[in-house]
Amino acid sequence: MSIHNASARPTRRRVLQGAMAAAALLHPGRRAAAAVYPERPVRVVVPFAPGGPVDVFGRLLADKLSTRLGQQFFIENHGGAGGNIGTGRAAKAAPDGYTLLLNANNHVINPLLYATVPYDPFKDFVPISLAVTFPTAVMVNPSLSLHSVADLVAFVRANPKKYGFASAGIGTPSHLLAERMRQKLNLDLVHVPYNGSGPTAQAVMAGDTPIGFAGLTAAAPLAKAGRLTIVAIMSKERAQGMPDVPSIAEAGYPELAGEAWDAMFAPTGTPPTIVARLADEVGKIVRLPDIGARLETLGLTPIGTPTDAFARQLTAESAVWAEVIRAAGLKLK
């Protein structure tokens, strides 16, 4: 006959409960991931001033995330130093899913361009999703009477040392895409940086710098009004908003294709379940009919590239921009 010690059962239970509690303390990320997310408001850092393309898209995205996930996602702008200040702040945030970063190509370009930056794009962040892309327009003043990339290339080669090209600023995607074109096609053009795509398009329209590269969003209204000519967009495919404008690939230069993007990141160590859920939501949101219509108006293309594929793209892009920046001798303090 066996003998049962009635007091042994609760003691054994307490031991098991203590072990589980200790395991939870040793793995706080797992404990956070197991909880319902989000349980409180979520900060989305935009490392640029309000009103810019990243900020405008960020507010659309944050509004939809708030509605779908039941907690407020709010934008916090920290502009300055080409995005370095805000990105550095996000890198130091707790990896709990309650601080996210919405950034552009500057995320991988800046560490190659600046002497020092307060973050490492690969060690300090996990990519969540590349949300949208927006093409760069190759623009010319109508007075040049150029209507194709072939026209532009022939014109520049026939007029060496006479023209420059405008861009949205040193190290911006429009600048580096133009620089890559200049390098690959051996074009004698001097860079003339402006403060953003809007001023760049205005400079081309006015003839101050009659050749320029800027976001299609800024260039399209002026082109539709006949005040500047877009000879191509620097992408593989045509843009929905301007279907009559050929892509650089169609123009015969597929190796020059590249696009600016807006993407979401989280500090490294953020629980994988939270990263996966956010990636899924971003992918769904950019494909919603009402969001799609708004994106088309803004000149943005919905993408929603998931985490793993986006991580590979970041590595590949970094290598491309490193070569362009090295060949151009670019370096900022």
Side-chain angles (χ1 to χ4, degrees), residues 69-125:
L69 297 184
Q71 288 286 350
Q72 183 187 10
F73 283 68
F74 63 94
I75 298 296
E76 190 172 284
N77 298 92
H78 291 287
N84 288 337
I85 293 174
T87 306
R89 284 180 179 241
K92 295 176 176 61
D96 55 8
Y98 291 93
T99 296
L100 306 173
L101 172 71
L102 193 71
N103 209 351
N105 306 62
N106 305 70
H107 191 78
V108 290
I109 290 172
N110 286 4
L112 304 168
L113 184 65
Y114 286 81
T116 59
V117 294
Y119 70 96
D120 184 302
F122 299 103
K123 293 180 181 179
D124 292 338
F125 291 96

Side-chain angles (χ1 to χ4, degrees), residues 214-301:
L216 182 62
T217 303
L222 297 176
K224 290 176 180 177
R227 304 178 76 179
L228 58 77
T229 302
I230 300 176
V231 299
I233 56 171
M234 301 290 285
S235 60
K236 294 180 180 178
E237 299 177 354
R238 298 191 180 205
Q240 289 182 342
M242 296 200 74
D244 294 334
V245 176
S247 69
I248 195 73
E250 289 179 285
Y253 305 99
E255 72 279 7
L256 300 180
E259 291 177 312
W261 43 254
D262 291 343
M264 182 172 279
F265 301 84
T268 295
T270 300
T273 53
I274 292 178
V275 171
R277 183 170 190 194
L278 287 169
D280 182 61
E281 287 294 334
V282 170
K284 290 176 179 176
I285 287 170
V286 297
R287 288 175 174 80
L288 293 172
D290 60 328
I291 291 294
R294 181 70 175 130
L295 294 181
E296 184 173 344
T297 300
L298 294 171
L300 305 177
T301 301

Side-chain angles (χ1 to χ4, degrees), residues 77-191:
N77 298 92
H78 291 287
N84 288 337
I85 293 174
T87 306
R89 284 180 179 241
K92 295 176 176 61
D96 55 8
Y98 291 93
T99 296
L100 306 173
L101 172 71
L102 193 71
N103 209 351
N105 306 62
N106 305 70
H107 191 78
V108 290
I109 290 172
N110 286 4
L112 304 168
L113 184 65
Y114 286 81
T116 59
V117 294
Y119 70 96
D120 184 302
F122 299 103
K123 293 180 181 179
D124 292 338
F125 291 96
V126 55
I128 294 175
S129 177
L130 188 159
V132 296
T133 61
F134 48 101
T136 292
V138 186
M139 311 171 292
V140 296
N141 186 278
S143 66
L144 297 182
S145 297
L146 305 176
H147 302 285
S148 68
V149 176
D151 288 348
L152 175 61
V153 171
F155 176 80
V156 172
R157 288 177 176 168
N159 295 276
K161 303 185 185 304
K162 291 185 179 180
Y163 290 90
F165 71 90
S167 86
I170 297 174
T172 59
S174 65
H175 172 213
L176 296 186
L177 286 167
E179 189 62 45
R180 183 168 62 170
M181 181 175 176
R182 186 195 68 77
Q183 293 171 10
K184 295 290 186 182
L185 303 185
N186 194 28
L187 301 178
D188 193 347
L189 290 169
V190 177
H191 181 219

Side-chain angles (χ1 to χ4, degrees), residues 9-92:
R9 292 178 183 172
T11 300
R12 201 173 291 120
R13 187 180 299 114
R14 283 196 294 271
V15 170
L16 290 172
Q17 289 172 341
M20 292 172 66
L25 290 172
L26 289 172
H27 302 284
R30 292 179 187 173
R31 183 177 54 179
V36 176
Y37 173 85
E39 295 181 300
R40 62 180 190 272
V42 178
R43 175 176 65 153
V44 182
V45 174
V46 170
F48 305 102
V54 180
D55 178 73
V56 171
F57 170 70
R59 292 178 189 278
L60 285 176
L61 181 61
D63 182 62
K64 282 296 184 181
L65 284 170
S66 300
T67 300
R68 292 170 66 90
L69 297 184
Q71 288 286 350
Q72 183 187 10
F73 283 68
F74 63 94
I75 298 296
E76 190 172 284
N77 298 92
H78 291 287
N84 288 337
I85 293 174
T87 306
R89 284 180 179 241
K92 295 176 176 61

